[in-house]
Amino acid sequence: MPTEPAEPAEPAEGPCAVELLRRVPYGRVVTSMRALPFLAVARHIVVRGRVLLRMHAGFNHHQACHGSVVAYGADNFGCGSDDATLWSVQFTGTAELFEPATDELELFGRGPHHVNGELFDPVYMRIEPQFTTVHTLSGTPEQRYAYAL
């Protein structure tokens, strides 16, 4: 008799990390491709403890991620939030290609029109977070927006 897959175990920092991820739409997925590290921007949503990613298929980064352990991170740096606490979430897990359901596609919203001049071609991956860390910087001083001379 077929059964639903078990819900992933939440790491100790998992609930906090998931709640923070829900506050920002984009993050960065990291893995290696041909023995070189790469980092790609991805749109994420959180569904039942899993992080679902949408990224551009044109670079073939998803091929390097599929079936591999990847790292994913997101933060609120530069979000223009009135919150004086900066945070970042990082986790690792195995990435799998999948086809999202209609309700999941709605959560992703519209994608970009172009990526580096190419028409955006979406591809979707699912990651069950295994090792999660959350870092916070509280009471950060007002930032100046001049970073170079």
Side-chain angles (χ1 to χ4, degrees):
M1 177 181 295
T3 61
E4 288 293 313
E7 289 295 315
E10 291 268 359
E13 292 183 320
C16 176
V18 166
E19 196 53 44
L20 291 172
L21 281 176
R22 292 180 197 274
R23 297 180 187 182
V24 295
Y26 287 90
R28 293 159 295 286
V29 63
V30 182
T31 194
S32 61
M33 189 160 71
R34 296 182 201 91
L36 297 173
F38 81 86
L39 179 132
V41 173
R43 170 77 168 98
H44 68 260
I45 60 173
V46 180
V47 177
R48 291 181 293 283
R50 294 174 177 93
V51 178
L52 310 182
L53 304 182
R54 178 181 69 196
M55 54 195 299
H56 179 54
F59 303 132
N60 289 320
H61 293 156
H62 62 287
Q63 296 297 342
C65 293
H66 178 62
S68 298
V69 173
V70 301
Y72 189 76
D75 57 59
N76 71 338
F77 306 164
C79 287
S81 171
D82 293 334
D83 189 359
T85 300
L86 297 175
W87 56 263
S88 66
V89 171
Q90 307 84 40
F91 67 83
T92 60
T94 303
E96 298 176 351
L97 293 171
F98 83 108
E99 288 297 323
T102 303
D103 58 336
E104 294 166 340
L105 286 172
E106 289 175 7
L107 287 173
F108 276 113
R110 273 190 15 206
H113 293 286
H114 295 89
V115 176
N116 290 354
E118 295 180 16
L119 284 176
F120 179 64
D121 180 15
V123 64
Y124 300 90
M125 291 189 303
R126 175 180 37 234
I127 306 170
E128 291 188 24
Q130 298 299 313
F131 300 104
T132 305
T133 58
V134 176
H135 298 290
T136 59
L137 297 170
S138 298
T140 56
E142 183 179 330
Q143 303 295 310
R144 290 183 30 195
Y145 292 101
Y147 302 110
L149 295 176

